[in-house]
């Protein structure tokens, strides 16, 4: 074989592989876009905003009263989770009503425990490291950390709720 034909073969294979990678990336983007534009995701966001307002408001009040991040976060997240379970089960994942409520509630509790431990640890770290250098009052700076921690957890929560909790 000549060097030219070997080089051409490598170029053809590289073009084929790059084309496949682009096709897969495009397909992944399209499926992600369809999911984000789905009625299910929009309802999940509406329920999530309701939960978040309850969670953040209760967190702020309890943190203001006690000064304790862990106590405030656990109680606020538990209250919001119960409201969210009822709304998501009946509105967002309407087909989930056919499933056993006890099994779904158990899976929700396990998901809630995982996300609450993660959330609480991140908020406590925020309060210890970032809050002292922010030019905000203690409770407002801590609430800002809660917002920043909880926002990305929405996508993880949606995927796990959709694929595991309400199946």
């Amino acid at each position: 074989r000549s060097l030219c034909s070997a080089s051409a073969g490598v170029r053809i294979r590289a073009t084929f592989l790059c084309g496949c990678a682009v096709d897969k990336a495009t397909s992944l983007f399209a499926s992600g876009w369809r999911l984000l534009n789905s009625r299910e995701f929009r309802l999940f966001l509406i329920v999530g905003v309701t939960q978040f307002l309850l969670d953040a408001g209760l967190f702020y009040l309890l943190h203001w009263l006690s000064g304790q991040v862990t106590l405030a976060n656990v109680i606020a997240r538990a209250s919001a989770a119960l409201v969210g379970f009822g709304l998501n089960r009946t509105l967002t994942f309407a087909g989930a009503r056919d499933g056993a409520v006890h099994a779904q509630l158990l899976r929700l509790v396990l998901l809630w425990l995982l996300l609450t431990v993660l959330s609480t640890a991140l908020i406590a770290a925020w309060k210890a490291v970032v809050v002292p250098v922010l030019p905000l009052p203690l409770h407002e700076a801590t609430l800002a950390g809660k917002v920043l921690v909880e926002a990305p957890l929405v996508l993880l929560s949606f995927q796990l709720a959709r694929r595991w909790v309400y199946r």
Side-chain angles (χ1 to χ4, degrees):
R1 266 168 92 169
S2 74
L3 188 57
C4 269
S5 65
S7 174
V10 169
R11 274 192 303 248
I12 291 170
R13 269 187 243 116
T15 302
F16 175 74
L17 291 174
C18 288
C20 287
V22 168
D23 288 346
K24 286 183 181 179
T26 303
S27 175
L28 184 60
F29 178 77
S31 66
W33 185 253
R34 278 191 303 274
L35 177 67
L36 293 177
N37 279 324
S38 69
R39 177 181 184 276
E40 191 175 71
F41 187 71
R42 285 191 307 270
L43 285 171
F44 187 81
L45 283 179
I46 291 168
V47 170
V49 167
T50 304
Q51 283 180 270
F52 179 74
L53 293 173
L54 173 62
D55 182 9
L58 203 49
F59 174 82
Y60 182 83
L61 175 66
L62 294 171
H63 184 257
W64 181 76
L65 290 172
S66 70
Q68 300 293 316
V69 166
T70 302
L71 175 71
N73 199 47
V74 168
I75 292 172
R77 283 184 59 84
S79 301
L82 288 174
V83 169
F85 179 73
L87 292 173
N88 278 320
R89 190 168 195 279
T90 56
L91 298 174
T92 308
F93 306 106
R97 286 180 288 201
D98 300 334
V101 68
H102 294 87
Q104 290 173 352
L105 188 55
L106 176 62
R107 289 190 295 265
L108 176 75
V109 167
L110 293 174
L111 175 61
W112 178 84
L113 285 170
L114 170 74
L115 293 177
T116 299
V117 166
L118 179 60
S119 169
T120 303
L122 291 171
I123 294 167
W126 170 274
K127 185 177 179 184
V129 175
V130 179
V131 168
V133 298
L134 287 179
L136 295 171
L138 172 68
H139 302 296
E140 285 79 0
T142 305
L143 181 61
K146 175 149 179 82
V147 170
L148 291 173
V149 164
E150 297 292 342
L153 292 180
V154 169
L155 292 175
L156 175 63
S157 178
F158 174 71
Q159 287 297 338
L160 292 172
R162 183 173 169 252
R163 297 174 190 263
W164 185 56
V165 173
Y166 298 101
R167 66 177 165 88

